[in-house]
């Protein structure tokens, strides 16, 4: 079982690296051609850009691969929403790390992630969700599971609508 999990995460890393490197190199080559740069200057810019973009894509792919391991068969991801941290960090996270906290909605559950660590996962029918402006209050088993300030202004209402459609109250 562990080899299957490692293989899936490796494939997610490889796919993330390939896609981001391809897009970055394509952008650099396109810019170089439009600017009329010599081929060696385009290659000199594309190689390090492709390497850095590939490394960043591998990190993002790893995160997606780890997160997708908790999905049940037939379960799909409906959306991922950035949650503002409860306090401001002294140094902002590196760009390849992505947002620190994210709320992920699936067809069966709601998940709270801190990068690659699953903080909690609750089935949608067991949840009560309330939108208060940009804040989202989530209740599970009669207790508050969390109050979150979401990055996107309309995300709280959107999450409430999706959660109710899939069984939350």
């Amino acid at each position: 079982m562990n080899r299957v999990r490692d293989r899936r995460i490796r494939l997610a890393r490889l796919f993330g690296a390939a896609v981001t490197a391809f897009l970055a190199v394509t952008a650099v080559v396109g810019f170089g051609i439009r600017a009329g740069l010599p081929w060696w200057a385009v290659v000199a810019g594309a190689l390090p850009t492709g390497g850095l973009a590939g490394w960043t894509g591998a990190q993002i792919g790893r995160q997606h691969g780890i997160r997708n391991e908790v999905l049940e068969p037939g379960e799909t991801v409906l959306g991922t929403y950035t949650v503002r941290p409860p306090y401001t960090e002294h140094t902002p996270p590196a760009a390849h790390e992505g947002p620190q906290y994210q709320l992920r909605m699936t067809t069966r559950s709601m998940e709270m992630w801190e990068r690659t660590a699953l903080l909690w996962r609750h089935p949608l029918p067991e949840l009560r969700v309330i939108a208060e402006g940009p804040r989202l209050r989530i209740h599970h088993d009669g207790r508050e599971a969390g109050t979150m300030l979401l990055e996107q202004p309309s995300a709280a209402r959107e999450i409430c609508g999706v959660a109710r459609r899939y069984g939350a109250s």
Side-chain angles (χ1 to χ4, degrees):
M1 184 68 175
N2 209 10
R3 281 200 317 192
V4 172
R5 179 182 186 271
D6 291 343
R7 184 172 180 269
R8 285 184 190 152
I9 292 173
R10 247 191 334 272
L11 284 173
R13 287 185 73 155
L14 180 62
F15 183 74
V19 168
T20 54
F22 174 76
L23 293 174
V25 168
T26 301
V28 170
V29 169
F31 174 77
I33 289 172
R34 273 184 284 162
L37 297 175
W39 70 267
W40 54 267
V42 174
V43 170
L47 285 177
T49 301
L52 289 172
W55 181 79
T56 300
Q59 303 308 312
I60 294 168
R62 176 183 170 271
Q63 186 179 67
H64 285 289
I66 290 171
R67 288 182 178 183
N68 288 341
E69 284 297 308
V70 302
L71 295 176
E72 298 171 4
E75 185 176 17
T76 58
V77 176
L78 301 172
T80 303
Y81 304 90
T82 301
V83 177
R84 290 188 185 167
Y87 58 91
T88 305
E89 296 179 7
H90 295 288
T91 56
H96 72 276
E97 292 178 340
Q100 183 173 2
Y101 298 102
Q102 287 189 313
L103 188 68
R104 188 166 88 156
M105 297 285 302
T106 71
T107 51
R108 297 184 185 155
S109 66
M110 185 180 289
E111 306 165 351
M112 182 65 183
W113 290 88
E114 183 176 6
R115 294 197 175 93
T116 57
L118 179 62
L119 300 177
W120 52 259
R121 173 183 165 101
H122 300 301
L124 287 174
E126 297 177 8
L127 294 178
R128 184 171 157 245
V129 290
I130 304 163
E132 296 175 344
R135 294 191 193 292
L136 180 70
R137 292 180 51 212
I138 302 165
H139 295 270
H140 179 255
D141 286 337
R143 294 189 313 256
E144 189 165 5
T147 299
M148 293 158 207
L149 180 59
L150 300 164
E151 195 72 29
Q152 302 90 344
S154 63
R157 281 191 303 270
E158 181 180 325
I159 291 170
C160 283
V162 170
R164 285 190 182 100
R165 206 170 324 142
Y166 286 92
S169 60

